[in-house]
């Protein structure tokens, strides 16, 4: 028999609201909330341990819950919740009526395991806006790259707005965080070419060879890459602009460069 919670004033529900809102609590408990059937399914595929499923059974049917549960080989607590409780926990007005509490993964650079000797990596320095981070993760998933490294992160990766904006792609690609210095050292230790997207001392992005181990480095839209990156790049690259402005959204820029790298690798 599943446990039932019908009051949004329940102490456990209040804890989950705090977990949704506070990065410090996510770090302290090493847990976070996932909203949506697709997102939870992707987390399971990404080997994120699921502790609890919370289901508003007036919205989601038991068959969908059972199908989700059958995709794991360990016990998960299931709690049936009322619509009021669900609305208290959910970010979106219209979702499938299901949430999960999951365990964090190790996001250290040591956790990165390359499947081949020729990795393609995206590095993003000091990203802050959850929407941009989510879009970068969607781009990484679409391109099928090996890893996303986040230098000097301003927002924790399990922020519910990042999970939402990435539509679950936070779970589909290897992610690690570190300082700029740590990531530069990591790339050099693995003999990975460092290509920084920058406006100065740059060559057109499509003129380079990305068929060797490569990392594409993007900075913030406001300030670009820091000097530490610019002093350690193998080459700086630029996307030639044909209009009046000199920059694009960071996720768009990353997508253009990454898919050029993917195109070269397919043709190699």
């Amino acid at each position: 028999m599943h446990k039932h919670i019908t009051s949004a004033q329940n102490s456990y529900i209040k804890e989950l609201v705090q977990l949704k809102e506070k990065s410090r609590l996510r770090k302290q408990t090493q847990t976070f909330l996932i909203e949506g059937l697709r997102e939870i399914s992707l987390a399971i595929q990404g080997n994120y341990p699921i502790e609890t499923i919370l289901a508003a059974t007036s919205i989601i049917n038991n068959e969908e819950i059972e199908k989700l549960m059958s995709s794991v080989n360990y016990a998960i607590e299931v709690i049936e919740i009322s619509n009021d409780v669900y609305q208290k926990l959910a970010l979106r007005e219209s979702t499938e009526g299901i949430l999960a509490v999951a365990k964090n993964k190790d996001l250290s650079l040591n956790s990165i395991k390359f499947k081949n000797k020729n990795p393609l990596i995206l590095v993003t320095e000091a990203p802050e806006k959850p929407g941009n981070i989510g879009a970068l993760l969607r781009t990484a998933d679409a391109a099928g790259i090996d890893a996303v490294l986040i230098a000097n992160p301003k927002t924790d990766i399990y922020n519910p707005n990042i999970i939402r904006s990435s539509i679950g792609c936070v779970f589909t690609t290897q992610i690690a965080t570190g300082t700029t210095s740590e990531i530069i050292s990591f790339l050099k230790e693995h003999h990975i070419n460092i290509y920084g997207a920058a406006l100065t001392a740059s060559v057109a992005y499509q003129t380079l060879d990305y068929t060797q181990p490569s990392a594409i480095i993007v900075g913030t839209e406001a300030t670009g890459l820091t000097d530490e990156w610019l002093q350690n790049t193998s080459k700086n690259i630029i996307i030639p602009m044909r209009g009046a402005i000199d920059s694009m959204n960071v996720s768009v820029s990353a997508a253009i460069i990454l898919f050029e790298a993917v195109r070269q690798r397919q043709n190699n």
Side-chain angles (χ1 to χ4, degrees):
M1 181 69 70
H2 295 165
K3 184 177 178 181
H4 291 73
I5 297 179
T6 58
S7 172
Q9 299 307 309
N10 177 279
S11 59
Y12 178 61
I13 299 305
K14 287 183 175 180
E15 288 175 14
L16 294 184
V17 171
Q18 292 294 302
L19 190 66
K20 177 179 75 169
E21 296 175 350
K22 297 189 180 299
S23 174
R24 182 178 63 182
L25 188 60
R26 292 192 290 272
K27 185 175 181 180
Q28 179 184 326
T29 63
Q30 292 293 291
T31 59
F32 63 100
L33 268 181
I34 310 172
E35 177 184 342
L37 193 60
R38 171 175 53 187
E39 288 82 351
I40 296 170
S41 297
L42 290 173
I44 290 171
Q45 290 175 36
N47 296 315
Y48 278 82
I50 306 298
E51 292 188 340
T52 306
I53 295 287
L54 300 107
T57 50
S58 61
I59 303 173
I60 189 168
N61 61 55
N62 284 325
E63 288 77 13
E64 289 178 301
I65 299 170
E66 288 169 7
K67 183 179 179 182
L68 191 66
M69 299 284 285
S70 68
S71 64
V72 301
N73 58 4
Y74 53 87
I76 300 175
E77 179 184 31
V78 177
I79 300 175
E80 293 185 21
I81 56 175
S82 65
N83 278 356
D84 286 346
V85 171
Y86 181 72
Q87 294 303 325
K88 189 77 172 176
L89 294 174
L91 281 178
R92 291 172 280 179
E93 292 182 4
S94 176
T95 47
E96 300 95 340
I98 189 166
L99 304 108
V101 180
K103 292 290 289 182
N104 293 7
K105 267 191 175 182
D106 178 10
L107 296 180
S108 69
L109 291 167
N110 291 334
S111 71
I112 297 295
K113 301 288 186 267
F114 296 126
K115 295 178 181 177
N116 57 66
K117 295 179 181 179
N118 193 27
L120 177 61
I121 299 166
L122 172 65
V123 179
T124 173
E125 185 182 32
E128 187 169 4
K129 297 177 182 177
N132 275 347
I133 298 169
L136 285 165
L137 293 170
R138 290 173 71 175
T139 295
D141 176 84
I145 68 172
D146 295 271
V148 175
L149 308 182
I150 303 177
N152 308 327
K154 304 294 185 185
T155 306
D156 86 89
I157 201 68
Y158 301 119
N159 181 309
N161 286 306
I162 292 178
I163 297 172
R164 177 178 64 172
S165 61
S166 77
I167 57 170
C169 290
V170 66
F171 308 122
T172 62
T173 303
Q174 292 191 95
I175 300 173
T177 62
T179 66
T180 287
S181 297
E182 289 168 345
I183 293 177
I184 289 171
S185 295
F186 175 85
L187 296 174
K188 290 185 174 181
E189 285 168 11
H190 288 83
H191 308 290
I192 295 169
N193 292 309
I194 300 173
Y195 299 125
L199 296 177
T200 57
S202 306
V203 298
Y205 77 98
Q206 71 273 27
T207 62
L208 291 187
D209 179 1
Y210 302 103
T211 61
Q212 300 303 310
S214 301
I216 309 301
I217 323 298
V218 295
T220 64
E221 292 169 32
T223 60
L225 291 174
T226 59
D227 287 342
E228 187 173 3
W229 275 110
L230 297 176
Q231 290 163 8
N232 284 280
T233 54
S234 309
K235 281 282 188 182
N236 292 340
I237 52 177
I238 192 169
I239 300 171
M241 297 286 155
R242 297 177 182 272
I245 59 170
D246 63 3
S247 67
M248 291 183 292
N249 175 276
V250 64
S251 64
V252 174
S253 298
I256 290 170
I257 300 167
L258 285 174
F259 273 93
E260 169 61 17
V262 170
R263 183 195 68 80
Q264 289 185 15
R265 287 163 175 246
Q266 287 174 337
N267 294 334
N268 188 37

